[in-house]
Amino acid sequence: MSLTLHYYLYSENSRSHKILAAAAFAGVKVNEKMISLPISDDFKRNCSPLGGNPVLETPEGYIFESNAILRYIARLDKTNTLYGKTTYENSMVDAWLDLVASETDPLIRCIIGKLFHQKALPADFLEATESLLQSIDNWLETRTFLVGERQTIADINLAFTLQVFYRFATNAEALSKKFKNVWRLYNTVMQQPQTVEVLKAVGGSFGLVAKPKEEKKAEPKAEKKKEEKKPKDDEEEEDDMPKEEKKANPLDSLPPSKLVLDAFKREYSNNDTRSHAAPWFFQNFDSEGYTCFWANYKYNEENKMQFMTANLCRGWFQRMEGNRKYAFGVALIVGEDKVHELTSFWVFRGKGLPQCVTDVDDTELFNWVEIKDINAEKEKITDYLCWEGPTIGKPVLEGRTFK
């Protein structure tokens, strides 16, 4: 079946991008065709009555409105999870698509009006935005996803809708910090390899937009009056003492390796994992310059709620932040919502577990097992990199990549 998505080529066209992402998750091939302006009367008569985009061309005709297209794609999902697994979940997905459209569209129009038409925001805009996000945040407090235990088009739709808020709202950073559960869901969807690949292809991105640094105006220098030199007291002498230099990481002085970790991270982010990134890793791995480990959480029997385990993992990664230069990892939550395990695969620079990693408090919460021969465990490592596969043994509820 041939499907073609007609849309405007614009790096922030989230309504079209969410459809391309959903198609990637569903394993449905969708061709792309850019719409050119002005919109013809023929297009309005046959494709979209108001001339809007995106429009999906199917063998039976055209479908307009992004959420209608999203539903169509989800019904073609080969895993039968994007639209929910039961009739109840189907209806809940519909409910969230409707809620997000009815409640966020007016707010998004306000943001776009300010950005492109210099219209002032309504007086109650901030209050309405926070009220909406607070309601969604409360819902996600005990849930990983909006509906059920798997990602659905409800999550994809919300995440791409939030693109407008997080990338263009003046208080975007404050919103991300205040409503942490919403921010978590947004990043869960956006950091998936399928989403990353879609955004890369269309020149898009995700996350907060860095604000340009304000240049400080040079102030006229006041004339310095000559002062008589006074003898230094003990405190001043201490200030003049050379400060202790930051200790260099011994990993920086290791001999060059044929495995360049940043190069692998790019391969992993930008290509299919099983057919390309994983084989690239095994082909370029250097056992003298790197060490691989399995790391399993010591207290898995205490994992009772998936979202809490996800928060634990996120905190762990945050405290590992200073080691990105020397590490790559995949952490998976496997099992069921209330009975699951946190397990992971890691690649570290150097031989053994680096000191900079053991210095992280969370390290002692895991049992670390060195992988002596990666080729002997090639299938399992590949499954971990892919977040799926028979060697994992249990359903993967969610994953997180440290790169």
Side-chain angles (χ1 to χ4, degrees), residues 252-324:
D252 292 327
S253 60
L254 292 176
S257 170
K258 74 170 185 176
L259 173 61
V260 179
L261 202 55
D262 281 344
F264 169 61
K265 292 176 181 179
R266 287 194 295 272
E267 295 292 329
Y268 186 79
S269 298
N270 300 326
N271 298 286
D272 178 73
T273 304
R274 197 171 290 278
S275 65
H276 186 95
W280 189 99
F281 173 74
F282 289 106
Q283 183 179 349
N284 291 276
F285 184 73
D286 170 22
S287 59
E288 293 301 315
Y290 289 86
T291 310
C292 295
F293 284 88
W294 299 115
N296 296 312
Y297 188 53
K298 291 180 179 178
Y299 310 104
N300 278 319
E301 69 278 2
E302 298 179 5
N303 297 336
K304 301 301 182 184
M305 297 295 289
Q306 182 182 334
F307 81 95
M308 295 177 69
T309 308
N311 289 341
L312 183 153
C313 182
R314 185 165 54 255
W316 176 28
F317 277 24
Q318 287 173 349
R319 288 179 283 277
M320 281 281 288
E321 184 67 32
N323 298 317
R324 288 192 183 275

Side-chain angles (χ1 to χ4, degrees), residues 247-254 326 355:
K247 291 182 180 179
N249 193 317
L251 298 178
D252 292 327
S253 60
L254 292 176
Y326 316 105
Q355 180 66 42

Side-chain angles (χ1 to χ4, degrees), residues 112-159:
I112 293 175
K114 178 176 174 60
L115 281 173
F116 299 104
H117 306 291
Q118 291 74 51
K119 292 183 178 179
L121 292 173
D124 63 344
F125 174 79
L126 294 179
E127 182 182 352
T129 300
E130 293 204 357
S131 176
L132 171 63
L133 293 181
Q134 183 65 70
S135 299
I136 300 174
D137 201 72
N138 292 341
W139 180 268
L140 289 171
E141 188 173 344
T142 57
R143 299 172 176 86
T144 302
F145 300 106
L146 293 174
V147 179
E149 303 300 333
R150 290 283 190 277
Q151 177 178 279
T152 66
I153 53 173
D155 304 296
I156 297 171
N157 177 60
L158 176 60

Side-chain angles (χ1 to χ4, degrees), residues 5-66:
L5 187 69
H6 299 252
Y7 69 101
Y8 298 136
L9 182 59
Y10 169 47
S11 62
E12 301 291 349
N13 189 345
S14 58
R15 290 179 183 271
S16 300
H17 299 168
K18 70 182 181 184
I19 294 167
L20 296 174
F25 285 111
V28 175
K29 180 175 174 54
V30 174
N31 301 312
E32 300 171 50
K33 186 174 182 180
M34 301 305 111
I35 294 177
S36 58
L37 296 174
I39 297 298
S40 67
D41 290 337
D42 186 58
F43 184 89
K44 292 180 180 179
R45 275 193 297 269
N46 298 294
C47 305
S48 176
L50 300 180
N53 85 106
V55 170
L56 184 68
E57 181 181 355
T58 77
E60 300 168 275
Y62 293 90
I63 302 173
F64 57 92
E65 289 299 314
S66 61

